[in-house]
Amino acid sequence: MIETIENGMELAQVRGILNRLIERVNELDSVSGSYDDLENRPAINGVTLTSETTFDDFTIPASRIDDYGTFKAEIRALAEETAAGAAAASVRTKLDGNFNTLQPREYELSGSMLVVIGDDKGNAYKTTLGDLIDYLKHEVLKLNDQYLRVIK
């Protein structure tokens, strides 16, 4: 980790910090960007995934395939589990797990801002913040499958 520059530091300290930063930036030029050059690539049943990995690289006993649907579901579940684990490991190294250290975000809210509301069926609806606030000022009661809005 590169330390930060503080007021009152000696010029030699500042120069050292800047030189370490320049070295780190120059190291980025040596990164190839190729998936095959990454370290700690995910593996499935001991087969490390590369850009050349094919389905034939995986040994799957025919006795395990009772039906194609079950087989497909097992492969999908394994792939999702592996991807989720790789993503979680990557995020743990990128973000501070303590969100209390994050700076608060201030918003300038207005009634004309658009908001999206989802229901339990997966539908999404857009409205304005002003309309949502007006709606929330009312209590909604359900009696015998009828909805009543009571203004407070």
Side-chain angles (χ1 to χ4, degrees):
M1 185 160 97
I2 299 173
E3 61 270 27
T4 58
I5 297 173
E6 303 290 333
N7 287 333
M9 284 184 144
E10 297 283 330
L11 181 58
Q13 289 176 296
V14 173
R15 185 180 301 117
I17 292 169
L18 291 174
N19 284 335
R20 283 190 290 282
L21 180 62
I22 290 168
E23 288 173 15
R24 295 287 294 271
V25 169
N26 287 337
E27 288 173 5
L28 295 176
D29 288 338
S30 64
V31 176
S32 73
S34 169
Y35 178 78
D36 290 330
D37 292 337
L38 293 175
E39 296 177 8
N40 301 319
R41 286 179 299 213
I44 298 175
N45 288 346
V47 177
T48 301
L49 302 179
T50 70
S51 62
E52 303 296 320
T53 304
T54 66
F55 192 73
D56 295 332
D57 295 325
F58 299 98
T59 304
I60 302 171
S63 62
R64 288 206 50 212
I65 304 175
D66 296 328
D67 66 85
Y68 181 72
T70 301
F71 173 69
K72 184 178 173 182
E74 288 176 3
I75 293 295
R76 182 182 182 102
L78 182 59
E80 288 174 353
E81 179 183 322
T82 302
S90 178
V91 167
R92 276 194 302 275
T93 63
K94 302 289 185 230
L95 293 175
D96 181 357
N98 181 1
F99 294 110
N100 294 325
T101 63
L102 297 176
Q103 294 295 320
R105 174 75 174 132
E106 298 294 328
Y107 296 97
E108 293 182 23
L109 301 176
S110 73
S112 64
M113 293 178 83
L114 292 178
V115 294
V116 177
I117 300 172
D119 65 16
D120 60 345
K121 295 176 180 72
N123 298 314
Y125 305 94
K126 79 176 180 182
T127 187
T128 64
L129 182 59
D131 287 345
L132 179 61
I133 291 170
D134 285 342
Y135 177 79
L136 293 175
K137 288 180 181 176
H138 303 84
E139 182 177 349
V140 178
L141 301 174
K142 183 177 181 183
L143 300 172
N144 299 327
D145 293 326
Q146 297 292 319
Y147 290 95
L148 302 173
R149 196 178 269 180
V150 179
I151 300 174
K152 291 185 175 187

